[in-house]
Amino acid sequence: QVQLVESGGGLVQAGASLRLSCAASGRSFSMHAMGWFRQGPGKEREFVAVMSWSGANTYYADSVKGRFTISRDNAKNEVYLEMNNLKPEDTAVYYCAVEHASRTMVGGSARYWGQGTQVTVSS
């Protein structure tokens, strides 16, 4: 059974940093992209960032470019999201996701999803 477990969310002030982690288990994720989505209050879920298996390809939503950095450790089946200079509009539940192709995730879809971790940024 595939499981994606996120951690690292919390309540911070604007301008602060947080690092989200996601541990994947239950199958081999070789050759799969791993990434993050988020859903803010009253908003639809949106793509945030994705990294290909090799790490050669990364994509970010325009709203987080220059502030968020995605990384992964394939030996541990983990993906991370370093979030800097957080803004109140970054407040959302952040979901880890796995999909075969990075571009599929950029398009808003993923095969496997985590349960989410809450990030709240106060002004």
Side-chain angles (χ1 to χ4, degrees), residues 49-89:
V50 63
M51 176 175 278
S52 62
W53 164 256
S54 68
N57 297 306
T58 58
Y59 302 95
Y60 295 93
D62 288 342
S63 58
V64 306
K65 280 181 182 176
R67 300 188 299 121
F68 290 12
T69 302
I70 189 170
S71 60
R72 62 187 291 171
D73 184 335
N74 289 337
K76 295 182 178 179
N77 271 345
E78 294 184 355
V79 64
Y80 314 100
L81 188 67
E82 184 75 33
M83 306 185 293
N84 298 316
N85 189 23
L86 282 161
K87 303 176 180 180
E89 51 263 42

Side-chain angles (χ1 to χ4, degrees), residues 4 24 29 32-35 96-100 105 109-113:
L4 304 179
F29 292 102
H32 281 68
M34 298 183 77
C96 174
V98 175
E99 172 56 64
H100 183 70
M105 204 175 295
S109 299
R111 178 169 298 185
Y112 303 109
W113 297 89

Side-chain angles (χ1 to χ4, degrees), residues 26-38:
R27 60 155 289 169
S28 170
F29 292 102
S30 177
M31 304 306 293
H32 281 68
M34 298 183 77
W36 296 90
F37 289 78
R38 68 185 182 185

Side-chain angles (χ1 to χ4, degrees), residues 7-50:
S7 61
L11 171 62
V12 297
Q13 291 189 329
S17 298
L18 276 177
R19 185 176 189 250
L20 304 183
S21 299
C22 172
S25 61
R27 60 155 289 169
S28 170
F29 292 102
S30 177
M31 304 306 293
H32 281 68
M34 298 183 77
W36 296 90
F37 289 78
R38 68 185 182 185
Q39 186 167 17
K43 299 180 182 180
E44 293 188 354
R45 185 177 62 202
E46 63 176 354
F47 164 77
V48 175
V50 63

